[in-house]
Amino acid sequence: MLHRRSSNNNSMIKALAASVMTAAMVIPVATENAQAAPVTKTTFKDVPKSHWAYESIKQVAEKGLVTGYEDSTYRPSAQVTRAEFATFLARVFESNERATVSFNDISDTHWANEAIQEGLALGFIKLEDFSKNKFEPNKPMTRGEMSRWLANGLAHANADYGKAIEEMANSSLTLIPIPEFYSGGVNKKDLPYIGVALGTGLLSGYEDFTFKPNGNTTRAEVATILIRFMDTMKKAPSDFTGLQELLEVADTGTNILTITNFKKTKYTGYEGVLGKPHTYLNKTGVSTIEHAIFVDTTGSKPKGIFKDMFYNEKAEAPLLNKGKYRIYYEYTFKPNRDVSLQSISNGSDMHFASPVMVNQSKVEQFNIASPKSSTKNEFLKGETYRYWAQNVANSRPGEEISSHSNDGSLFYYEVPK
């Protein structure tokens, strides 16, 4: 599937990451004054040892972060509301700081008011995220909202997380490896927060790789998330390879330095040629590189935060363990005549004309623009296309990756000997 690019649309970036393993179940929302009673039990009759979240639930109960109910239940499948999640995070921070914000639907005596004011003071809750001066305390938390609160909470603990959020928010190169990035269904403002959540492992994807930013979260899932959150607060963004990949992409359009053994030379990297035209010697057209995403397939298992977005581990298993990286290039291309992917590649610079389509299952799962055939003339004269195709690079010492745009701008990387 190819995406034609109109002249007044200079970016294919759309609002687009993923969760603990169990999907949320719909449970009736509690009334304003209904909340878990401060029961100090650490085991619950509705959470047997065989429950997938038993250990996490036991831990958060022992720490007093999430309490049970008077009937000795935990209600692991119940959805978590805004008021509840504000309370859970406030208990993690245990701060004495308080804001003095008045919401129309939160009285001074509301059971979660202190936690909400703490969240506003610490910044994990942002006033601008709420309209008409309503907090809606009984509204179930969405995964997009949870990503924002968690990422903002990390930013309070370590300013470098705040910088990471800003970098992804302010970059046109940001790419988040979730199907919703290209297919829609995600608020663009949530992307940097989802990026932090994915990059640190606070949240992960479902079996179909979707993030479900508008989906809800259960009390069992939140127990696991809170344990991860407390562990993540002890670490810096630089401790998470996935997050570093996302930040490198937001900064330079590639993750090559984070995920491969290639090093930058005295010349510029991909950032030196992004968006700059390269005219093919075989006269098929003019191309620009928009992204260069690497997946580490040198070993027996693919590695990197983008592996699920581009690489089909089952179908492409023969490509593993051969000491090679897969490169997924995003191009803008304007053909001089009707041409195929194969025609473009013949006689052209390999890094400005990758010869292989993205695996069809990934095209469908992530709504990635990529040719359906390598031999059919899918690129039509007079149109402009934005598409992905894949290439390969060896990991051997002395290997290099280089090319240049029409104006002489160069990118050059090499594996040290």
Side-chain angles (χ1 to χ4, degrees), residues 95-339:
S95 172
N96 292 323
E97 295 183 57
R98 298 289 185 274
T100 55
V101 176
S102 296
F103 288 105
N104 293 339
D105 53 356
I106 298 290
S107 67
D108 291 343
T109 58
H110 188 284
W111 64 270
N113 182 56
E114 283 289 307
I116 293 168
Q117 298 303 325
E118 180 181 339
L120 289 163
L122 299 185
F124 67 78
I125 299 175
K126 300 289 188 183
L127 184 60
E128 58 265 27
D129 290 338
F130 305 94
S131 60
K132 299 180 181 179
N133 202 36
K134 289 187 176 181
F135 186 79
E136 298 183 273
N138 298 323
K139 188 173 182 178
M141 286 288 292
T142 67
R143 285 166 53 78
E145 287 177 320
M146 191 166 287
S147 297
R148 287 203 303 270
W149 289 26
L150 291 169
N152 285 330
L154 291 176
H156 172 75
N158 185 330
D160 286 343
Y161 285 105
K163 294 176 183 177
I165 294 168
E166 289 181 11
E167 186 170 344
M168 286 188 281
N170 296 329
S171 173
S172 62
L173 298 173
T174 294
L175 180 66
I176 307 299
I178 59 175
E180 292 89 349
F181 184 84
Y182 283 124
S183 63
V186 61
N187 188 331
K188 188 173 182 179
K189 293 191 300 183
D190 287 341
L191 292 180
Y193 305 103
I194 292 173
V196 170
L198 288 174
T200 58
L202 284 175
L203 298 176
S204 58
Y206 289 87
E207 289 185 1
D208 62 356
F209 306 108
T210 58
F211 186 79
K212 295 181 173 53
N214 296 315
N216 302 125
T217 308
T218 66
R219 284 169 58 86
E221 291 172 324
V222 159
T224 301
I225 291 168
L226 290 173
I227 296 300
R228 292 175 182 170
F229 181 70
M230 289 186 293
D231 183 58
T232 303
M233 282 202 301
K234 302 172 186 176
K235 301 177 181 179
S238 58
D239 293 325
F240 298 97
T241 301
L243 182 55
Q244 292 308 298
E245 286 186 73
L246 296 178
L247 292 176
E248 187 185 353
V249 169
D251 184 38
T252 65
T254 183
N255 59 339
I256 184 173
L257 298 179
T258 303
I259 199 65
T260 78
N261 62 350
F262 279 91
K263 303 299 180 185
K264 207 169 180 179
T265 65
K266 63 181 180 180
Y267 305 104
T268 58
Y270 282 111
E271 72 279 3
V273 302
L274 291 183
K276 295 182 178 181
H278 173 93
T279 301
Y280 295 143
L281 295 177
N282 62 4
K283 309 299 183 184
T284 52
V286 179
S287 179
T288 62
I289 294 174
E290 308 295 345
H291 283 98
I293 304 300
F294 286 70
V295 174
D296 183 356
T297 53
T298 59
S300 60
K301 288 288 184 180
K303 298 177 182 178
I305 198 167
F306 291 98
K307 65 180 177 60
D308 292 332
M309 184 174 185
F310 292 106
Y311 187 80
N312 185 320
E313 185 174 352
K314 183 177 181 180
E316 299 178 290
L319 303 177
L320 290 169
N321 219 23
K322 297 184 184 301
K324 299 179 184 293
Y325 300 106
R326 307 308 296 182
I327 315 172
Y328 297 88
Y329 281 110
E330 185 184 28
Y331 300 109
T332 295
F333 175 56
K334 188 170 184 178
N336 290 331
R337 61 179 185 270
D338 295 357
V339 292

Side-chain angles (χ1 to χ4, degrees), residues 18-25 46-60 74-78 80 143 146 202-206 216-228:
S19 107
V20 288
M21 296 301 297
T22 308
M25 296 176 60
D46 57 348
V47 184
K49 287 187 177 181
S50 58
H51 192 283
W52 67 270
Y54 173 83
E55 288 298 332
S56 294
I57 290 172
K58 188 172 184 293
Q59 285 186 57
V60 295
Y74 181 86
R75 303 178 193 178
S77 297
V80 175
R143 285 166 53 78
M146 191 166 287
L202 284 175
L203 298 176
S204 58
Y206 289 87
N216 302 125
T217 308
T218 66
R219 284 169 58 86
E221 291 172 324
V222 159
T224 301
I225 291 168
L226 290 173
I227 296 300
R228 292 175 182 170

Side-chain angles (χ1 to χ4, degrees), residues 16-76:
L16 133 256
S19 107
V20 288
M21 296 301 297
T22 308
M25 296 176 60
V26 177
I27 300 294
V29 176
T31 61
E32 173 174 328
N33 294 317
Q35 75 274 7
V39 178
T40 57
K41 288 179 66 66
T42 60
T43 57
F44 308 94
K45 64 183 182 183
D46 57 348
V47 184
K49 287 187 177 181
S50 58
H51 192 283
W52 67 270
Y54 173 83
E55 288 298 332
S56 294
I57 290 172
K58 188 172 184 293
Q59 285 186 57
V60 295
E62 288 173 344
K63 295 177 184 296
L65 302 179
V66 184
T67 56
Y69 292 84
E70 291 179 342
D71 61 357
S72 297
T73 63
Y74 181 86
R75 303 178 193 178

